[in-house]
Amino acid sequence: MTGWAEYSLALAMFVASHFLPRLGGLRERLIGAVGRRAYFSAYGALSIALLVWVISAALRAPHVDLWPQLPWTRWVPNLAMPLALILVACGIGLRQPFTLGGRRGAAFDPARPGFAAISRHPLFLALALWSGAHLAPNGDLAMVILFASFLAMSLAAIFAFDACARRSLGGKAGAFFARTAILSPAPLINRDWLRANARRTTIRAGIGLVLWVALLHLHTMVIGVSPFPV
């Protein structure tokens, strides 16, 4: 299989794995057959395996430069990734069900939005930051297709999940959107929000920064390219 053929197949299968289960109620039927925990465990493992395949296939695809890598472009992901990893650490188990990583079956309490007041889609924003920031230093055609695809998918997912929230919440949707945001730093200067959430958010943000440092130093070994600007 040639480099482009493998890459196209891997990317198509990754995208299909995220959209096909939603067609015709397939996901609901599979959950009913094997249970929610087994389904999402298997789906998560499949997604990780396909992601590894897509990235490795992109690295093996023929090299076609669209723009050169200039020294300043390496600063873009280095500045964006700390925030992306903080969003990941704070977004897992978010106290609202209408997003990736949110608590399934949880009822949103407008009086206690938690981290959703800063972002109701932190994992999707993290994916958008990761993919968008990595476009700058990666002007190779295969990498541009890869990161642009992830950026488009993450942004489309935000609108799709918000639409799902509007349909599901009905008359309560106004309170949901009034107390949450795509991304807002305003809660960080709100005394009531800080009183309820500062400790938990600080701990999770610290975990995100530790994860960022670990991934930064593993990047060369795993990806084969140094992420450092100099």
Side-chain angles (χ1 to χ4, degrees):
M1 183 179 291
T2 64
W4 282 117
E6 181 193 5
Y7 180 43
S8 300
L9 178 61
L11 187 59
M13 290 187 65
F14 182 84
V15 173
S17 71
H18 284 73
F19 288 99
L20 289 181
R22 298 180 179 276
L23 299 178
L26 175 61
R27 185 177 69 170
E28 287 68 25
R29 292 199 298 273
L30 289 173
I31 291 174
V34 302
R36 179 173 292 273
R37 184 183 296 273
Y39 171 82
F40 282 104
S41 296
Y43 181 74
L46 175 63
S47 295
I48 292 172
L50 289 174
L51 177 61
V52 171
W53 184 24
V54 168
I55 294 174
S56 61
L59 292 171
R60 290 192 296 271
H63 192 90
V64 180
D65 269 333
L66 298 181
W67 60 80
Q69 184 181 110
L70 301 175
W72 69 265
T73 60
R74 287 197 172 201
W75 280 104
V76 179
N78 277 275
L79 293 174
M81 288 311 294
L83 176 57
L85 270 298
I86 288 173
L87 287 170
V88 169
C90 293
I92 295 174
L94 195 68
R95 206 180 304 163
Q96 70 99 351
F98 303 106
T99 190
L100 180 66
R103 296 181 186 177
R104 299 289 174 181
F108 177 75
D109 183 0
R112 301 175 60 197
F115 192 79
I118 293 177
S119 176
R120 61 177 173 268
H121 299 295
L123 297 189
F124 286 131
L125 279 183
L127 180 59
L129 274 173
W130 168 76
S131 53
H134 278 77
L135 274 171
N138 290 281
D140 169 53
L141 177 59
M143 290 300 175
V144 170
I145 293 172
L146 175 71
F147 291 122
S149 297
F150 280 116
L151 178 60
M153 288 176 62
S154 57
L155 295 178
I158 289 174
F159 290 104
F161 274 86
D162 278 353
C164 178
R166 289 188 181 92
R167 291 193 301 270
S168 299
L169 293 174
K172 298 179 180 178
F176 173 78
F177 288 103
R179 299 302 299 270
T180 63
I182 298 293
L183 183 65
S184 172
L188 298 176
I189 57 173
N190 182 296
R191 188 173 302 175
D192 292 335
W193 187 92
L194 288 172
R195 188 179 297 114
N197 299 281
R199 184 175 182 275
R200 174 185 174 88
T201 302
T202 300
I203 291 173
R204 289 209 172 203
I207 293 172
L209 290 176
V210 170
L211 182 59
W212 166 65
V213 172
L215 292 176
L216 187 67
H217 287 83
L218 287 171
H219 196 282
T220 303
M221 182 177 67
V222 175
I223 304 299
V225 179
S226 172
F228 295 101
V230 294

